[in-house]
Amino acid sequence: MKNIVYTGMFFMLTLAACTSMPIDRGIYNPQDVSEEDLSILYIHEYINVQQIDNTKVDWNRQIRKPQIVKIPSGVHSFSVRYHDGRRFTFSMTTIGQFEKGNTYLLKGVINGRKVDLHILLYNNKVEGEEVTLDMNKLRGNDPNVISRYIKYVLNPTMDEVGNSVRLENEKYILTYKPDMVYSLTDKETEIISEGRRGFSTDFRMTNGKTFLLETDISNMSRQQFLSSKYDENAQIILIPIDCNEREVIYKYEKPTELQGSEIKFTITEIEM
């Protein structure tokens, strides 16, 4: 995700909700979902939406008027710029979770020398619960378990970094590699298994699961893996319950005979 660059003098300012008649952007519905599965999004007058889910939209001209659009329910990302006449940003990304039938508001709030993006419930034009993905947690900068797990175990293996992470205890060596690959070595039997791995978490990042699917990686690409029912077919499912830069503790969900038991690994990042 791109860094945010700001110019000019900044001060604290909380933007008011859209009060004038919004420009109607119609329906953004590339998957042609049914009308009942749509949500309504109000866009504050200082927000210029450039892309939705990595698809450019023809709304680039800064008009500084509120807008309204219908979008499908689900999780959506928005690339936007902020411009209030004196302050502006380059492209920023925010992600929100939308439920069908609800109305939401996308706005920016000046916070010192930066702009924070917020997506809020906006039913009856009353600002309600925040539905924005916490980007701080996603980057691993939050003290909760899942955020630390992302930072110390998952992020080093991302394509942009390209390193591996070696998890080890007295019985096993579990190595996470780029391209969503893993290998598991049983120290006692010296048997090595290999496959692809996935991770899922709830939107608030309070719970997460790692899925290890033993498979021939030469016959199953990453995209094929992601399109498969790996969450159902994984032979091993591990729930991170504690993590820091030195070690991670999992609770088993699968295999069934180990369900509920805990396993601890030391963490070593291997630079490639």
Side-chain angles (χ1 to χ4, degrees), residues 146-188:
I146 300 303
S147 184
R148 295 198 304 267
Y149 183 72
I150 290 171
K151 181 175 184 177
Y152 297 120
V153 178
L154 300 184
N155 280 354
T157 69
M158 293 176 61
D159 292 345
E160 296 83 354
V161 182
N163 292 337
S164 294
V165 171
R166 177 186 175 108
L167 307 180
E168 185 171 6
N169 60 25
E170 65 279 3
K171 294 180 65 176
Y172 302 106
I173 300 173
L174 175 58
T175 304
Y176 293 157
K177 305 175 183 180
D179 200 31
M180 302 182 74
V181 170
Y182 82 90
S183 67
L184 177 63
T185 301
D186 187 315
K187 291 183 175 181
E188 183 177 337

Short mmCIF file of all heavy atoms in Angstrom, two decimals, residues 146-188:
data_model
loop_
_atom_site.label_atom_id
_atom_site.label_comp_id
_atom_site.label_asym_id
_atom_site.label_seq_id
_atom_site.Cartn_x
_atom_site.Cartn_y
_atom_site.Cartn_z
N ILE A 146 -3.11 -11.33 16.60
CA ILE A 146 -3.16 -11.52 15.16
C ILE A 146 -2.27 -10.51 14.44
O ILE A 146 -1.58 -10.85 13.47
CB ILE A 146 -4.61 -11.43 14.64
CG1 ILE A 146 -5.47 -12.52 15.29
CG2 ILE A 146 -4.66 -11.55 13.13
CD1 ILE A 146 -4.95 -13.94 15.07
N SER A 147 -2.24 -9.28 14.92
CA SER A 147 -1.38 -8.27 14.30
C SER A 147 0.09 -8.64 14.46
O SER A 147 0.88 -8.53 13.50
CB SER A 147 -1.65 -6.90 14.93
OG SER A 147 -0.90 -5.89 14.27
N ARG A 148 0.48 -9.11 15.63
CA ARG A 148 1.87 -9.54 15.83
C ARG A 148 2.19 -10.76 14.98
O ARG A 148 3.30 -10.89 14.44
CB ARG A 148 2.13 -9.83 17.31
CG ARG A 148 2.02 -8.62 18.22
CD ARG A 148 2.70 -8.86 19.56
NE ARG A 148 2.19 -10.04 20.24
CZ ARG A 148 1.22 -10.04 21.13
NH1 ARG A 148 0.61 -8.89 21.44
NH2 ARG A 148 0.82 -11.15 21.72
N TYR A 149 1.24 -11.66 14.84
CA TYR A 149 1.43 -12.85 14.01
C TYR A 149 1.65 -12.45 12.55
O TYR A 149 2.54 -12.99 11.87
CB TYR A 149 0.22 -13.76 14.14
CG TYR A 149 0.32 -15.06 13.38
CD1 TYR A 149 1.17 -16.07 13.80
CD2 TYR A 149 -0.44 -15.28 12.23
CE1 TYR A 149 1.27 -17.27 13.11
CE2 TYR A 149 -0.35 -16.48 11.54
CZ TYR A 149 0.51 -17.47 11.98
OH TYR A 149 0.60 -18.64 11.29
N ILE A 150 0.86 -11.51 12.07
CA ILE A 150 1.04 -11.01 10.71
C ILE A 150 2.43 -10.41 10.54
O ILE A 150 3.11 -10.65 9.54
CB ILE A 150 -0.06 -9.97 10.38
CG1 ILE A 150 -1.42 -10.66 10.25
CG2 ILE A 150 0.28 -9.20 9.10
CD1 ILE A 150 -2.59 -9.70 10.14
N LYS A 151 2.87 -9.64 11.53
CA LYS A 151 4.16 -8.95 11.44
C LYS A 151 5.33 -9.91 11.46
O LYS A 151 6.24 -9.81 10.62
CB LYS A 151 4.28 -7.95 12.58
CG LYS A 151 5.58 -7.15 12.58
CD LYS A 151 5.58 -6.11 13.67
CE LYS A 151 6.83 -5.24 13.61
NZ LYS A 151 6.80 -4.16 14.64
N TYR A 152 5.33 -10.86 12.39
CA TYR A 152 6.52 -11.68 12.62
C TYR A 152 6.53 -13.00 11.85
O TYR A 152 7.60 -13.57 11.61
CB TYR A 152 6.69 -11.95 14.11
CG TYR A 152 6.93 -10.71 14.92
CD1 TYR A 152 6.06 -10.34 15.95
CD2 TYR A 152 8.01 -9.88 14.65
CE1 TYR A 152 6.27 -9.19 16.69
CE2 TYR A 152 8.23 -8.71 15.39
CZ TYR A 152 7.34 -8.38 16.41
OH TYR A 152 7.56 -7.24 17.13
N VAL A 153 5.34 -13.49 11.47
CA VAL A 153 5.28 -14.79 10.81
C VAL A 153 4.87 -14.69 9.35
O VAL A 153 5.46 -15.36 8.49
CB VAL A 153 4.32 -15.74 11.57
CG1 VAL A 153 4.22 -17.09 10.86
CG2 VAL A 153 4.79 -15.94 13.01
N LEU A 154 3.88 -13.88 9.04
CA LEU A 154 3.35 -13.84 7.68
C LEU A 154 4.03 -12.81 6.78
O LEU A 154 4.41 -13.12 5.64
CB LEU A 154 1.84 -13.58 7.72
CG LEU A 154 0.99 -14.60 8.48
CD1 LEU A 154 -0.49 -14.25 8.34
CD2 LEU A 154 1.25 -16.02 7.98
N ASN A 155 4.18 -11.59 7.27
CA ASN A 155 4.70 -10.52 6.41
C ASN A 155 6.08 -10.80 5.81
O ASN A 155 6.34 -10.43 4.66
CB ASN A 155 4.72 -9.19 7.16
CG ASN A 155 3.34 -8.54 7.20
OD1 ASN A 155 2.40 -9.03 6.58
ND2 ASN A 155 3.22 -7.45 7.94
N PRO A 156 7.01 -11.45 6.54
CA PRO A 156 8.33 -11.70 5.92
C PRO A 156 8.27 -12.56 4.66
O PRO A 156 9.18 -12.51 3.83
CB PRO A 156 9.10 -12.42 7.04
CG PRO A 156 8.46 -11.94 8.30
CD PRO A 156 7.00 -11.82 7.97
N THR A 157 7.20 -13.35 4.50
CA THR A 157 7.11 -14.24 3.34
C THR A 157 6.31 -13.64 2.18
O THR A 157 6.12 -14.30 1.15
CB THR A 157 6.47 -15.58 3.73
OG1 THR A 157 5.07 -15.38 4.04
CG2 THR A 157 7.16 -16.19 4.94
N MET A 158 5.87 -12.41 2.33
CA MET A 158 5.13 -11.76 1.25
C MET A 158 6.02 -11.58 0.04
O MET A 158 7.25 -11.49 0.15
CB MET A 158 4.59 -10.41 1.72
CG MET A 158 3.50 -10.50 2.79
SD MET A 158 2.99 -8.87 3.38
CE MET A 158 2.37 -8.13 1.86
N ASP A 159 5.41 -11.51 -1.13
CA ASP A 159 6.16 -11.38 -2.37
C ASP A 159 7.11 -10.19 -2.34
O ASP A 159 8.22 -10.24 -2.86
CB ASP A 159 5.21 -11.25 -3.56
CG ASP A 159 4.43 -12.54 -3.82
OD1 ASP A 159 4.83 -13.58 -3.28
OD2 ASP A 159 3.43 -12.49 -4.57
N GLU A 160 6.66 -9.09 -1.73
CA GLU A 160 7.46 -7.87 -1.71
C GLU A 160 8.73 -8.02 -0.87
O GLU A 160 9.70 -7.29 -1.06
CB GLU A 160 6.64 -6.70 -1.16
CG GLU A 160 5.44 -6.31 -2.01
CD GLU A 160 4.21 -7.17 -1.74
OE1 GLU A 160 4.32 -8.15 -0.96
OE2 GLU A 160 3.14 -6.87 -2.30
N VAL A 161 8.71 -8.98 0.09
CA VAL A 161 9.87 -9.20 0.96
C VAL A 161 10.65 -10.41 0.48
O VAL A 161 11.87 -10.36 0.29
CB VAL A 161 9.43 -9.39 2.42
CG1 VAL A 161 10.65 -9.58 3.33
CG2 VAL A 161 8.60 -8.19 2.89
N GLY A 162 9.96 -11.55 0.29
CA GLY A 162 10.57 -12.73 -0.30
C GLY A 162 11.41 -13.58 0.63
O GLY A 162 12.20 -14.42 0.17
N ASN A 163 11.27 -13.41 1.95
CA ASN A 163 12.02 -14.23 2.90
C ASN A 163 11.20 -15.44 3.32
O ASN A 163 10.02 -15.57 2.97
CB ASN A 163 12.41 -13.41 4.13
CG ASN A 163 13.44 -12.34 3.80
OD1 ASN A 163 14.16 -12.45 2.81
ND2 ASN A 163 13.50 -11.31 4.61
N SER A 164 11.84 -16.33 4.08
CA SER A 164 11.15 -17.48 4.67
C SER A 164 11.14 -17.32 6.19
O SER A 164 11.96 -16.58 6.75
CB SER A 164 11.85 -18.79 4.30
OG SER A 164 11.75 -19.04 2.91
N VAL A 165 10.24 -18.01 6.85
CA VAL A 165 10.17 -18.02 8.31
C VAL A 165 10.24 -19.46 8.77
O VAL A 165 9.44 -20.30 8.36
CB VAL A 165 8.87 -17.35 8.81
CG1 VAL A 165 8.71 -17.56 10.31
CG2 VAL A 165 8.90 -15.85 8.50
N ARG A 166 11.20 -19.73 9.64
CA ARG A 166 11.42 -21.09 10.17
C ARG A 166 10.86 -21.14 11.59
O ARG A 166 11.31 -20.41 12.48
CB ARG A 166 12.92 -21.40 10.17
CG ARG A 166 13.32 -22.75 10.76
CD ARG A 166 14.84 -22.83 10.81
NE ARG A 166 15.34 -24.02 11.45
CZ ARG A 166 15.92 -25.03 10.79
NH1 ARG A 166 16.06 -24.97 9.48
NH2 ARG A 166 16.38 -26.07 11.45
N LEU A 167 9.88 -22.02 11.78
CA LEU A 167 9.30 -22.26 13.10
C LEU A 167 9.82 -23.61 13.57
O LEU A 167 9.69 -24.61 12.86
CB LEU A 167 7.77 -22.27 13.03
CG LEU A 167 7.11 -21.03 12.39
CD1 LEU A 167 5.59 -21.19 12.40
CD2 LEU A 167 7.52 -19.76 13.10
N GLU A 168 10.38 -23.64 14.78
CA GLU A 168 11.04 -24.88 15.22
C GLU A 168 10.80 -25.15 16.70
O GLU A 168 10.77 -24.24 17.53
CB GLU A 168 12.54 -24.78 14.95
CG GLU A 168 13.30 -26.06 15.25
CD GLU A 168 14.75 -26.02 14.78
OE1 GLU A 168 15.19 -24.94 14.31
OE2 GLU A 168 15.43 -27.06 14.86
N ASN A 169 10.61 -26.44 17.01
CA ASN A 169 10.62 -26.92 18.39
C ASN A 169 11.36 -28.25 18.43
O ASN A 169 12.02 -28.62 17.46
CB ASN A 169 9.20 -27.02 18.96
CG ASN A 169 8.30 -27.97 18.18
OD1 ASN A 169 8.77 -28.89 17.52
ND2 ASN A 169 6.99 -27.72 18.26
N GLU A 170 11.27 -28.97 19.53
CA GLU A 170 12.04 -30.20 19.66
C GLU A 170 11.57 -31.31 18.73
O GLU A 170 12.31 -32.26 18.46
CB GLU A 170 12.00 -30.70 21.11
CG GLU A 170 10.65 -31.12 21.64
CD GLU A 170 9.79 -29.96 22.09
OE1 GLU A 170 10.23 -28.79 21.95
OE2 GLU A 170 8.67 -30.22 22.59
N LYS A 171 10.36 -31.19 18.17
CA LYS A 171 9.82 -32.26 17.33
C LYS A 171 9.73 -31.90 15.85
O LYS A 171 9.85 -32.77 14.99
CB LYS A 171 8.42 -32.65 17.83
CG LYS A 171 8.39 -33.28 19.20
CD LYS A 171 6.98 -33.65 19.63
CE LYS A 171 6.38 -34.72 18.72
NZ LYS A 171 5.05 -35.14 19.17
N TYR A 172 9.49 -30.62 15.55
CA TYR A 172 9.19 -30.25 14.17
C TYR A 172 9.97 -29.01 13.73
O TYR A 172 10.35 -28.16 14.54
CB TYR A 172 7.70 -29.95 14.00
CG TYR A 172 6.78 -31.08 14.36
CD1 TYR A 172 6.03 -31.03 15.54
CD2 TYR A 172 6.64 -32.19 13.53
CE1 TYR A 172 5.16 -32.06 15.88
CE2 TYR A 172 5.78 -33.22 13.86
CZ TYR A 172 5.05 -33.15 15.03
OH TYR A 172 4.21 -34.18 15.36
N ILE A 173 10.14 -28.92 12.42
CA ILE A 173 10.56 -27.68 11.76
C ILE A 173 9.47 -27.36 10.73
O ILE A 173 9.25 -28.12 9.79
CB ILE A 173 11.91 -27.82 11.05
CG1 ILE A 173 13.01 -28.19 12.04
CG2 ILE A 173 12.27 -26.52 10.33
CD1 ILE A 173 14.34 -28.51 11.37
N LEU A 174 8.80 -26.26 10.93
CA LEU A 174 7.74 -25.81 10.03
C LEU A 174 8.24 -24.54 9.35
O LEU A 174 8.48 -23.52 10.02
CB LEU A 174 6.45 -25.53 10.81
CG LEU A 174 5.27 -24.95 10.03
CD1 LEU A 174 4.85 -25.85 8.88
CD2 LEU A 174 4.09 -24.71 10.98
N THR A 175 8.43 -24.60 8.05
CA THR A 175 8.98 -23.47 7.31
C THR A 175 7.93 -22.88 6.38
O THR A 175 7.35 -23.59 5.55
CB THR A 175 10.22 -23.88 6.49
OG1 THR A 175 11.18 -24.48 7.35
CG2 THR A 175 10.84 -22.67 5.81
N TYR A 176 7.68 -21.58 6.54
CA TYR A 176 6.78 -20.85 5.65
C TYR A 176 7.65 -20.15 4.61
O TYR A 176 8.58 -19.42 4.94
CB TYR A 176 5.97 -19.82 6.42
CG TYR A 176 4.98 -20.40 7.39
CD1 TYR A 176 4.51 -19.64 8.47
CD2 TYR A 176 4.50 -21.70 7.26
CE1 TYR A 176 3.59 -20.17 9.37
CE2 TYR A 176 3.58 -22.23 8.15
CZ TYR A 176 3.13 -21.45 9.21
OH TYR A 176 2.23 -21.98 10.10
N LYS A 177 7.33 -20.36 3.34
CA LYS A 177 8.09 -19.82 2.24
C LYS A 177 7.23 -18.87 1.41
O LYS A 177 6.00 -18.87 1.53
CB LYS A 177 8.61 -20.97 1.36
CG LYS A 177 9.41 -22.03 2.13
CD LYS A 177 9.79 -23.21 1.24
CE LYS A 177 10.51 -24.29 2.02
NZ LYS A 177 10.90 -25.44 1.18
N PRO A 178 7.85 -18.07 0.53
CA PRO A 178 7.06 -17.23 -0.38
C PRO A 178 6.15 -18.08 -1.26
O PRO A 178 6.29 -19.31 -1.33
CB PRO A 178 8.13 -16.51 -1.19
CG PRO A 178 9.34 -16.51 -0.33
CD PRO A 178 9.30 -17.82 0.41
N ASP A 179 5.21 -17.42 -1.91
CA ASP A 179 4.26 -18.08 -2.81
C ASP A 179 3.33 -19.02 -2.07
O ASP A 179 2.82 -19.99 -2.64
CB ASP A 179 5.00 -18.83 -3.93
CG ASP A 179 4.10 -19.11 -5.13
OD1 ASP A 179 3.18 -18.30 -5.40
OD2 ASP A 179 4.29 -20.14 -5.79
N MET A 180 3.12 -18.76 -0.75
CA MET A 180 2.18 -19.52 0.07
C MET A 180 2.55 -21.01 0.13
O MET A 180 1.69 -21.88 0.11
CB MET A 180 0.74 -19.33 -0.44
CG MET A 180 0.30 -17.87 -0.46
SD MET A 180 -1.41 -17.61 -1.00
CE MET A 180 -2.29 -18.20 0.44
N VAL A 181 3.84 -21.28 0.20
CA VAL A 181 4.36 -22.65 0.29
C VAL A 181 4.83 -22.90 1.72
O VAL A 181 5.32 -21.99 2.39
CB VAL A 181 5.51 -22.87 -0.71
CG1 VAL A 181 6.21 -24.20 -0.47
CG2 VAL A 181 4.99 -22.79 -2.14
N TYR A 182 4.69 -24.15 2.18
CA TYR A 182 5.25 -24.53 3.47
C TYR A 182 5.92 -25.89 3.33
O TYR A 182 5.65 -26.67 2.41
CB TYR A 182 4.16 -24.61 4.55
CG TYR A 182 3.38 -25.90 4.54
CD1 TYR A 182 3.78 -27.00 5.29
CD2 TYR A 182 2.24 -26.04 3.75
CE1 TYR A 182 3.09 -28.20 5.26
CE2 TYR A 182 1.53 -27.23 3.71
CZ TYR A 182 1.96 -28.31 4.47
OH TYR A 182 1.28 -29.49 4.42
N SER A 183 6.83 -26.19 4.27
CA SER A 183 7.36 -27.54 4.42
C SER A 183 7.37 -27.88 5.91
O SER A 183 7.59 -27.00 6.75
CB SER A 183 8.77 -27.66 3.84
OG SER A 183 9.69 -26.88 4.58
N LEU A 184 7.12 -29.15 6.21
CA LEU A 184 7.06 -29.61 7.60
C LEU A 184 7.99 -30.81 7.74
O LEU A 184 7.80 -31.83 7.06
CB LEU A 184 5.63 -29.99 7.98
CG LEU A 184 5.43 -30.56 9.39
CD1 LEU A 184 5.80 -29.52 10.45
CD2 LEU A 184 3.98 -31.02 9.58
N THR A 185 8.98 -30.69 8.62
CA THR A 185 9.94 -31.77 8.86
C THR A 185 9.70 -32.38 10.23
O THR A 185 9.67 -31.66 11.24
CB THR A 185 11.39 -31.25 8.79
OG1 THR A 185 11.63 -30.68 7.51
CG2 THR A 185 12.38 -32.39 9.03
N ASP A 186 9.47 -33.68 10.28
CA ASP A 186 9.38 -34.42 11.52
C ASP A 186 10.80 -34.84 11.90
O ASP A 186 11.43 -35.65 11.21
CB ASP A 186 8.48 -35.64 11.35
CG ASP A 186 8.21 -36.37 12.65
OD1 ASP A 186 9.18 -36.58 13.42
OD2 ASP A 186 7.06 -36.75 12.89
N LYS A 187 11.34 -34.28 12.97
CA LYS A 187 12.74 -34.54 13.33
C LYS A 187 12.98 -36.01 13.67
O LYS A 187 14.07 -36.54 13.41
CB LYS A 187 13.14 -33.66 14.51
CG LYS A 187 13.25 -32.18 14.20
CD LYS A 187 13.72 -31.41 15.42
CE LYS A 187 13.96 -29.94 15.12
NZ LYS A 187 14.43 -29.20 16.31
N GLU A 188 12.00 -36.65 14.27
CA GLU A 188 12.18 -38.04 14.69
C GLU A 188 12.22 -38.99 13.51
O GLU A 188 13.08 -39.87 13.40
CB GLU A 188 11.08 -38.44 15.67
CG GLU A 188 11.22 -39.85 16.21
CD GLU A 188 10.16 -40.19 17.23
OE1 GLU A 188 9.58 -39.26 17.84
OE2 GLU A 188 9.89 -41.39 17.43
#
